[in-house]
Amino acid sequence: MRENADRPETIDSRIAARLKELRAARGWSLDELAKRSEVSRATLSRLEKAEVSASAAVLGKLCAVYGLPMSRLMMMAEAGYTPLLRPADQPVWKDAEIGFTRRSLSPPAEALSGEAVECVLAPGAHIAYSAPPRPGLEHHLLMREGKLTVRLDETVHTLSPGDSLRYRLFGASSFETPAGEGARYILFLV
């Protein structure tokens, strides 16, 4: 997690506000959310105050508890819906500690279910999710550059440029790049 003190409104501060709203809408205390998500109460408090930025792993745990894909959380943090997004206007979120960058190519809208995101993992990066945000969430992954290992429960797929992988999430998943090479891929969520 990264410190965010005394900054103007950012994607991180908007995510913090949405996380607080999601918890409040369910009537959960920070302690209840900590139990459900396996994220410490102190971390949750600091996230909701926008004192720190969440890692991809922490956001993954929270999204699983709330039953929504990370991209839906990102959409909730963005203002409005625009049908055409130029590259300069596509929201980008980074987890510098892991080496993960996520660009919303087609941010979701309330009336639309599909979306596309471009993901970049640095060499030697590893992201693990203990549960899907929504059981059965469909992914279509298209490798653009580098090498990527995707683990879906006990099934392992090693991907190279041009490969595509279609799957539905029901359990744990992880994404990992080798030490000497990163990866860039497009992920379509349905």
Side-chain angles (χ1 to χ4, degrees), residues 39-132:
V39 175
S40 77
R41 183 191 190 288
T43 297
L44 293 170
S45 177
R46 293 186 75 202
L47 286 173
E48 288 187 4
K49 293 176 185 173
E51 293 174 354
V52 295
S53 298
S55 67
V58 168
L59 282 181
K61 287 180 178 184
L62 294 174
C63 286
V65 168
Y66 291 129
L68 60 125
M70 192 182 305
S71 50
R72 182 69 56 181
L73 175 63
M74 297 297 173
M75 181 275 304
M76 293 168 74
E78 290 299 321
Y81 164 69
T82 304
L84 173 64
L85 277 182
R86 307 285 182 204
D89 298 325
Q90 295 167 354
V92 175
W93 178 80
K94 295 181 180 185
D95 182 336
E97 287 180 28
I98 290 177
F100 178 55
T101 301
R102 184 180 193 285
R103 175 183 300 276
S104 292
L105 301 175
S106 60
E110 292 295 328
L112 304 173
S113 60
E115 57 196 278
V117 293
E118 177 184 50
C119 301
V120 178
L121 278 174
H126 178 86
I127 300 174
Y129 302 101
S130 58

Side-chain angles (χ1 to χ4, degrees), residues 113-162:
S113 60
E115 57 196 278
V117 293
E118 177 184 50
C119 301
V120 178
L121 278 174
H126 178 86
I127 300 174
Y129 302 101
S130 58
R134 177 174 37 92
L137 181 65
E138 187 176 343
H139 282 187
H140 299 253
L141 189 154
L142 176 60
M143 277 294 294
R144 306 305 296 160
E145 299 172 7
K147 299 282 184 199
L148 180 68
T149 299
V150 177
R151 182 180 300 272
L152 306 168
D153 287 318
E154 299 304 315
T155 304
V156 177
H157 302 277
T158 302
L159 306 173
S160 297

Side-chain angles (χ1 to χ4, degrees), residues 157-168:
H157 302 277
T158 302
L159 306 173
S160 297
D163 290 346
S164 63
L165 178 64
R166 181 177 181 173
Y167 55 93
R168 294 178 70 200

Side-chain angles (χ1 to χ4, degrees), residues 2-19:
R2 301 173 306 277
E3 300 291 331
N4 283 340
D6 301 321
R7 290 189 187 170
E9 185 172 285
T10 63
I11 185 71
D12 290 321
S13 63
R14 292 189 302 268
I15 289 170
R18 293 297 177 236
L19 289 173

